[in-house]
Amino acid sequence: MFLQMAAAAPAALAAEDHKIPKYRVVTHYQAAAQPGMPGPYPGRVASVHAAKCIDETTEKPDPAVVREMMTRGMCALTGDSNVRDAWARFITPADVVGIKVNCSGAPGIMSSPVVVAEIVQNLIGVGVKPDAIWIYERFEDQVQSVHYDRYIPQGVHIWTAETRRGSAESYDPATYVETTFFDEDDTRSNLIRLVGTRFTKIINVPNMKDHGAAGVTGCLKNIAYGDFSNVARSHAGSVTNTYSFIGTLASVEPLRSRTVLQVMDGLRGVWHGGPFSPNRKFRFYPKRMLFGTDPVAVDRLLLDIIDDKRKAEHAVSVWDRSTKYLGGDDEHRNNPNVNPFVREPGHIEFAGHLGLGVYDLDKIKVASVEV
C-alpha cells in the first residue's frame, strides 16, 4: 500500500489565515509517466464562443452549433486540422471512458445533455464502443432529472455512485484521503471504485458556476468533490477547508493520471448561489466552452468570468474574504452580497502548487475561437 503524506505542504503555499490540515493519502495506484493533469498541454486553453449556441429564453442549446464549437475547440487545443485526430490524442478504441458530469444544480444548471452527447459521438468516432462509455456522477436523483438517456446511443452507461444518499458500496475502501476537519466521526473520503477498477480515461465536464465556499465550481472541484465520498464535511462552518482539500483530492492516483481532458460547459452559468441554481435571476449565458488538459489554467480563466459578471451585477467579488458579508442560507439565496462561507478562490492556486497545472495568467496561452 502506497502512503503519501500530502499534508506537509510548505508554509509558503498557504496565506497566513490558512491552516492546512494534515492529510494522509492512501492508494496502491501508481502515477502514469505523464499524468492526465496537467497533461500534454499545461497552461494552454482553447476558448470557443458562439452567440447562437443557446436560446436564452428557452435555455435550449443548438446541437449543430455545439458540434461546431467542440470541433473547433478540440482542434484549437491540439493543433490538428481533423477533429478525429484531436480526440485520438487522448482516447484509443481500447479505452473505457468515464465522463464526469456535474449535475449538482440540475435541472437549473448541469453539464448539458447536448454537450455530453457530442462528446459521446466523438468517442464513438475514434472507435470506443458505446458500452465502454460511462456517464457518471455521485447522486442518482440529480442525474435522473437531466435525462441523458434521451440524447445518447443505446449501450452507453449512465451510472451514479449513490442511489441512496450516504451509501458507501460504490467507493473503494483502499483508496482514500484521511483527515480531521471539525472533529467529525468519519474522517475518510473514499474514491469512487470505478475510477480505479473500470475506467482507463476520464473526461471532466464541469459548468461555469460560482460557489459560496470554494469561490467557483470548475474543473478541480468537479473532479475532486465529484469522485470522492464524504466531502461536504470540509465546509461545516463559515470557515472551510476547501482551500487545500480540493487540490489534495484531485491529486490522488489514479484520478490524476486518468483524467485526460477538461471540457468546460459554459453555454449557461451561475454567477451567484452555486453550485445549485434555484433562482433563475442568477443564471447567465457566457455561450462559451473551454477546452484543455490543465484544470488549473481553465479554472483560473473561470475565476475572471464569474468575477467579471459579479462586478457587472454590483455584487461582492469572489476574491473578497471579509466576514462582514457572512449570512444565512436564506439571505445567500436571494442576495448576491451575502455569503454563507468565507470564499476560497485560492484553492486553484494551491492546486497549481501541487503540480496540477499553471495558475499564472501571464503563462496561460488562450486560443480564442469565434463560431
Side-chain angles (χ1 to χ4, degrees):
M1 187 69 66
F2 172 76
L3 298 174
Q4 175 189 354
M5 299 302 294
L13 301 189
E16 292 181 2
D17 54 351
H18 287 107
K19 182 179 179 181
I20 309 301
K22 290 186 177 181
Y23 296 108
R24 186 165 74 101
V25 178
V26 178
T27 179
H28 65 273
Y29 294 96
Q30 299 297 316
Q34 185 179 50
M37 297 186 289
Y41 303 105
R44 185 170 177 175
V45 180
S47 175
V48 184
H49 177 263
K52 296 182 179 181
C53 67
I54 188 170
D55 184 306
E56 294 186 22
T57 301
T58 64
E59 294 193 312
K60 291 183 177 180
D62 185 318
V65 177
V66 169
R67 182 175 303 113
E68 183 66 13
M69 293 175 77
M70 195 164 295
T71 296
R72 299 277 296 276
M74 289 296 293
C75 290
L77 173 66
T78 64
D80 292 299
S81 58
N82 182 286
V83 69
R84 188 182 186 283
D85 292 340
W87 281 93
R89 289 180 180 268
F90 307 102
I91 307 295
T92 73
D95 280 319
V96 177
V97 184
I99 301 175
K100 175 59 186 73
V101 293
N102 187 307
C103 296
S104 60
I109 184 72
M110 67 281 177
S111 304
S112 167
V114 172
V115 170
V116 173
E118 188 58 30
I119 292 173
V120 169
Q121 289 300 327
N122 279 282
L123 294 177
I124 293 173
V126 296
V128 181
K129 301 298 183 184
D131 65 357
I133 300 171
W134 295 68
I135 298 167
Y136 78 103
E137 177 62 297
R138 286 185 65 199
F139 302 128
E140 183 179 60
D141 57 332
Q142 294 174 347
V143 172
Q144 285 181 338
S145 70
V146 183
H147 304 293
Y148 287 113
D149 56 300
R150 299 175 183 175
Y151 295 81
I152 58 175
Q154 187 174 2
V156 175
H157 302 271
I158 301 173
W159 181 90
T160 53
E162 299 182 32
T163 55
R164 175 177 52 83
R165 291 290 183 109
S167 60
E169 292 86 353
S170 296
Y171 297 96
D172 183 355
T175 308
Y176 59 87
V177 175
E178 186 168 31
T179 190
T180 300
F181 290 132
F182 302 106
D183 296 321
E184 63 268 30
D185 292 330
D186 186 355
T187 59
R188 290 184 179 178
S189 293
N190 295 76
L191 182 67
I192 286 176
R193 193 191 308 269
L194 290 185
V195 171
T197 62
R198 185 65 61 89
F199 305 152
T200 60
K201 302 285 176 59
I202 295 171
I203 298 170
N204 189 18
V205 191
N207 302 121
M208 292 184 175
K209 298 192 288 187
D210 100 308
H211 191 276
V216 295
T217 291
C219 300
L220 289 162
K221 188 169 181 294
N222 189 49
I223 205 66
Y225 279 36
D227 277 281
F228 283 85
S229 66
N230 194 28
V231 293
R233 65 193 175 99
S234 69
H235 41 297
S238 60
V239 177
T240 82
N241 288 283
T242 52
Y243 176 82
S244 59
F245 196 36
I246 292 172
T248 299
L249 293 175
S251 299
V252 176
E253 294 295 349
L255 184 62
R256 180 184 178 184
S257 284
R258 296 184 185 180
T259 306
V260 298
L261 187 62
Q262 317 288 331
V263 179
M264 180 169 282
D265 173 7
L267 306 186
R268 58 178 162 175
V270 173
W271 62 270
H272 180 73
F276 311 113
S277 184
N279 195 334
R280 185 166 174 174
K281 73 178 183 180
F282 295 131
R283 284 182 221 153
F284 73 124
Y285 304 90
K287 301 179 180 180
R288 186 175 300 278
M289 294 178 67
L290 302 178
F291 300 82
T293 60
D294 180 338
V296 175
V298 175
D299 281 1
R300 179 61 189 88
L301 299 181
L302 174 64
L303 278 173
D304 285 350
I305 291 171
I306 297 297
D307 204 46
D308 287 348
K309 177 60 178 176
R310 290 183 64 84
K311 288 176 182 176
E313 298 290 344
H314 308 289
V316 61
S317 171
V318 295
W319 297 100
D320 196 312
R321 304 182 64 254
S322 172
T323 57
K324 70 181 181 180
Y325 295 109
L326 291 176
D329 286 341
D330 289 340
E331 291 178 280
H332 170 68
R333 288 190 194 100
N334 298 294
N335 187 344
N337 288 307
V338 173
N339 292 329
F341 310 100
V342 176
R343 290 180 185 261
E344 299 292 1
H347 79 269
I348 299 169
E349 184 175 14
F350 186 88
H353 286 299
L354 295 179
L356 288 170
V358 176
Y359 178 79
D360 188 344
L361 277 177
D362 291 336
K363 297 179 180 179
I364 298 173
K365 297 180 180 180
V366 181
S368 298
V369 178
E370 189 71 33
V371 172

